[in-house]
Amino acid sequence: MDIQRIAAFSQGTEGGNPAGVVLLQQAISAEEMARVAAEVGYSETAFATAQGEDRNTWRVRYFSPESEVPFCGHATIALGAALGRHEGPGTYSLVLNDATITVDANATQEGMMATLSSPPTNSRVMTDDEMEDVMSLLALTSDDLDPRLAPAFIHGGANHVVLPLKERSRLAAMAYDLDQGRTVMRQHDLVTVMLVYIEGNQAFVARNAFASGGVLEDPATGAAAAAFAGYLRDCQWPHNGSLTIRQGEDMGSPSLIRVSLDDTKGASVQVSGSVRDIL
């Protein structure tokens, strides 16, 4: 089995979130995917099987070391780059468990770049139980929260919650117990908990706890970025059609996520990033 190791949302030769990518000629069992993903050890590995001879449509499943994930942004960006290299630049249709999306692969002077169009987005107010459990997990209080943007349950192919923080230093201090985080996130059907610091109307810094998949933190989380952008749109935040999210800085893996969107409530958003190979 050819397992490609690609860091998505990298900045040049640094950073990005490592993903495994496996291009399959024939489907394999979920048990085999789970085994391979656990051996690879990255936060996600994407398994893609060509559908038809034109090879423009691929059935895709994502596995973390401990669970299957319905949608993963950084692994989709890595997959788009791999398809661009193996099949050529262009637009590919990806059939996920719960949605069908596209990824565009483009060759640049710096290497491959990919842009995914996310599943539909939605958001809602967090329940009292969600708020209490997540705040307790991360040892946060109401005084830590930025009043400009309310905490929320957000979705863009997978479930997340977002907590906007008032101080950049509080973001840098993120810490929690992995086992407790796994319990909380699975109890509330969350893939990640996103902490975000607002630098400007179109610029954010984020950290994403990913205990649900057995990983303490993701250095770049495209699915949460898509969900967050949809939430900003729901709030009528002045995004002006695009935003950037810097992530991974506090864990030594600087990553850059670019998002573009329109004002159509619930519509797909476009998430872009560069990649680098992991040698």
Side-chain angles (χ1 to χ4, degrees):
M1 185 179 294
D2 180 20
I3 303 170
Q4 301 178 60
R5 291 167 169 82
I6 301 171
F9 303 115
S10 58
Q11 297 196 60
T13 59
E14 297 183 336
N17 193 359
V21 175
V22 181
L23 302 182
L24 298 165
Q25 298 303 315
Q26 294 182 336
I28 60 176
S29 68
E31 291 76 15
E32 180 70 359
M33 295 182 201
R35 183 191 66 79
V36 171
E39 289 182 357
V40 171
Y42 293 154
S43 57
E44 271 98 6
T45 296
F47 298 85
T49 308
Q51 307 291 289
E53 295 183 359
D54 62 5
R55 300 178 70 83
N56 287 329
T57 300
W58 295 72
R59 174 70 172 100
V60 182
R61 296 177 72 173
Y62 309 93
F63 284 80
S64 78
E66 294 188 3
S67 61
E68 183 171 7
V69 177
F71 170 59
C72 173
H74 85 275
T76 301
I77 294 296
L79 171 60
L83 289 172
R85 290 170 181 166
H86 287 261
E87 306 295 333
T91 300
Y92 294 90
S93 178
L94 308 181
V95 181
L96 314 185
N97 287 356
D98 303 317
T100 298
I101 64 171
T102 61
V103 65
D104 294 313
N106 299 292
T108 70
Q109 291 183 343
E110 292 76 28
M112 293 302 301
M113 183 172 182
T115 299
L116 66 85
S117 293
S118 76
T121 66
N122 61 72
S123 63
R124 62 166 172 79
V125 175
M126 290 176 66
T127 67
D128 291 342
D129 286 346
E130 290 166 350
M131 190 72 175
E132 180 179 351
D133 289 348
V134 172
M135 293 285 281
S136 176
L137 171 67
L138 295 162
L140 295 171
T141 71
S142 58
D143 289 338
D144 293 313
L145 301 178
D146 191 326
R148 291 177 291 176
L149 191 64
F153 187 103
I154 59 177
H155 179 90
N159 295 331
H160 313 265
V161 293
V162 59
L163 301 175
L165 300 181
K166 190 185 303 181
E167 301 292 340
R168 177 67 179 86
S169 59
R170 196 66 186 88
L171 180 69
M174 185 189 86
Y176 70 98
D177 179 79
L178 182 63
D179 288 336
Q180 183 185 357
R182 184 186 288 110
T183 298
V184 168
M185 292 183 205
R186 292 182 179 178
Q187 177 182 346
H188 295 293
D189 192 27
L190 300 174
V191 174
T192 77
V193 173
M194 181 181 192
L195 301 182
V196 64
Y197 172 71
I198 303 169
E199 283 194 328
N201 289 341
Q202 297 174 269
F204 304 85
V205 186
R207 299 186 77 171
N208 279 74
F210 184 37
S212 66
V215 177
L216 192 68
E217 180 178 1
D218 254 352
T221 317
F228 179 60
Y231 172 53
L232 293 178
R233 174 172 56 199
D234 291 345
C235 295
Q236 299 184 325
W237 184 269
H239 55 76
N240 293 323
S242 66
L243 57 101
T244 60
I245 299 173
R246 301 200 325 271
Q247 194 176 331
E249 295 177 345
D250 297 298
M251 56 186 300
S253 186
S255 306
L256 182 63
I257 303 170
R258 299 178 177 90
V259 185
S260 60
L261 67 162
D262 61 24
D263 287 324
T264 305
K265 186 177 178 64
S268 172
V269 304
Q270 287 67 54
V271 180
S272 301
S274 301
V275 303
R276 64 176 180 86
D277 290 322
I278 300 172
L279 304 177

